[in-house]
Amino acid sequence: MAHDTHDKTPANLPKATYEVHAPRLPRIPFLAVSVGLITVVGSWIPLVLFARARQIPSSEPRVSFVQDMGTQPRYNAQQSSEVFEDGRAARLPIPGTVARGHLDEDDHYHHGFERVKGPDGKMVNKFFDTFPEQVKVTPALVKRGQDRFNIYCSVCHGLDGQGHGQVNEMAVEDKEAKWVQVASLPSDAVRVRPVGHIYNTINVGIRNMSGYGAQVPVADRWAIVAYVRSLQYGQNAPEDAVPAENRNTSQAAAK
Amino acid sequence: MSERITSSKRLMFPRWANYLLPAIVLGAVGGAFYLPVAFGIGASPKTMAVGYAPTQPVPYSHALHAGKLGIDCRYCHNTVEKAAFAALPATQTCMNCHTNLKPDSVRLQPVRDSWTTGKPVQWVKVHDLPDYVFFNHSAHVNHGVGCVECHGRIDRMEVVSQQKPLSMGWCLECHRNPGPHLRPRDVKVTDMNWTPGADFDGEALKKDYGIRDTAYMQSCYTCHR
């Protein structure tokens, strides 16, 4: 042989080989990888749901994990009841009964009018023209009246009482067929009413206005009457009732 | 190593099982962080309770009545200044206006039914504290805490939804330092737009209203009695 490679091999090269068992781990099986990935990604899902629950209103009530007497077998205020046919847990007074302190026997204070014999012998309502003795007309009472008037009356009668509150304006704008223009309180027609009549209007209503007796307690009704009187006076006051420095001279000149 | 004894019939863990230990440790450590965080966020009243907006029997809109028409909250919820609870309006209250206004609206049918039968409209309660908590509206409303502090912008809601967590932590946050949450006496508690001006002084208001000391306000008995 012309080319004997053997001859060229350096004598010190190893002649044997051996297998290397390197401590390298094999590939992680697909299954294990996917389980790991699913766990990591899956752990975000609740967080995303929580974030969503925080953003979007839900019609489902809160879940209580631990009840802890959070719902006790008792009725809270205004709770409904399955025991009674009308669904009210708080019972209404039995017809014909009167709760203590609600006899309302003082005609002047509680009703604003009394029944008297008219000229033709029939019983008629006579409205009181004065405030009852329980009511002291003071600036504080008128202030209270203003506060209550603005809550219960101004929506229809307007803050100035002239009958242009938001509800009236919207109803007129929408041409509501059955709506009746709200009365103007400083008008002559209402100014001549006795205080008892205005009280009674608040208590039980008049014609197309419903009563506010259920919403406004007796003392506050009289406070509102006092304020209505001050509105009426204020918008019809003679000029010399206004302190000179507060007079609107241009308006006075125009008159 | 393992290949050498494959002939054995005994159960052998495959090689990848060597990953199990680190995986378990990682999982345990991760889980120990993840679970409390997830539970904390998930079970928090901010997730569970805030945003609760049940469907009501009548599509009554505060945005229209309290917002656009500007009806004072107390026109309907007229007990807030005197009682612990805030009264829901009686059917009569709705009929004050709706006898002559939208008398034929189908949306108001349940109200008219209630008017004729005498059965109350069954509203669904939105804000609901557990029965072991004592709460009182008048104590707050008469001491200058506005509705908006606890109910949010009701006057912009078509459907009422719970805005605050109503959790004990939330109550205490204010009870520890009520000053900044109070409003002066000449501002209506029902005013939703009011924001404190530059001259706002919570400490002076606390004195003015005679707010009790922090110890009383945080005492368990104040809210659990």
Side-chain angles (χ1 to χ4, degrees), chain B residues 87-169:
Chain B
L88 289 181
T91 303
Q92 155 82 63
T93 308
C94 307
M95 294 310 275
N96 283 349
C97 290
H98 286 294
T99 317
N100 288 336
L101 197 67
K102 301 254 172 217
D104 311 311
S105 165
V106 280
R107 299 199 229 172
L108 280 157
Q109 190 58 47
V111 177
R112 288 193 300 269
D113 288 347
S114 157
W115 185 238
T116 43
T117 61
K119 284 192 185 180
V121 179
Q122 298 253 333
W123 304 103
V124 183
K125 193 153 169 50
V126 186
H127 303 76
D128 197 5
L129 289 174
D131 285 356
Y132 51 75
V133 181
F134 176 86
F135 180 76
N136 190 322
H137 269 95
S138 66
H140 294 91
V141 174
N142 294 337
H143 288 100
V145 185
C147 314
V148 70
E149 289 283 345
C150 306
H151 294 301
R153 291 304 300 250
I154 292 276
D155 63 331
R156 292 184 184 157
M157 297 178 195
E158 287 295 335
V159 178
V160 176
S161 68
Q162 185 174 330
Q163 295 295 303
K164 302 287 155 110
L166 304 190
S167 61
M168 181 163 146

Side-chain angles (χ1 to χ4, degrees), chain B residues 15 25 40 44 58 80 156 167 172 191 208-209 222:
Chain B
R15 268 190 143 195
V25 170
S44 149
V58 182
V80 279
R156 292 184 184 157
S167 61
L172 284 174
D191 188 341
D208 180 26
Y209 286 114
T222 299

Side-chain angles (χ1 to χ4, degrees), chain A residues 178-213:
Chain A
K178 288 181 77 184
W179 185 256
V180 178
Q181 168 63 41
V182 176
S184 167
L185 303 182
S187 68
D188 293 340
V190 183
R191 272 171 70 203
V192 299
R193 299 281 193 208
V195 284
H197 190 277
I198 298 179
Y199 174 90
N200 186 57
T201 302
I202 301 174
N203 191 10
V204 300
I206 188 165
R207 301 188 301 273
N208 286 291
M209 176 185 141
S210 16
Y212 282 77

Side-chain angles (χ1 to χ4, degrees), chain A residues 43 54 58 70 72 78 212 215, chain B residues 34 47 51 53 75 86 88 131:
Chain A
S43 69
R54 285 190 177 205
S58 147
Q72 296 168 16
Q78 311 191 80
Y212 282 77
Q215 279 153 279
Chain B
Y34 176 80
T47 311
Y75 182 98
L88 289 181
D131 285 356

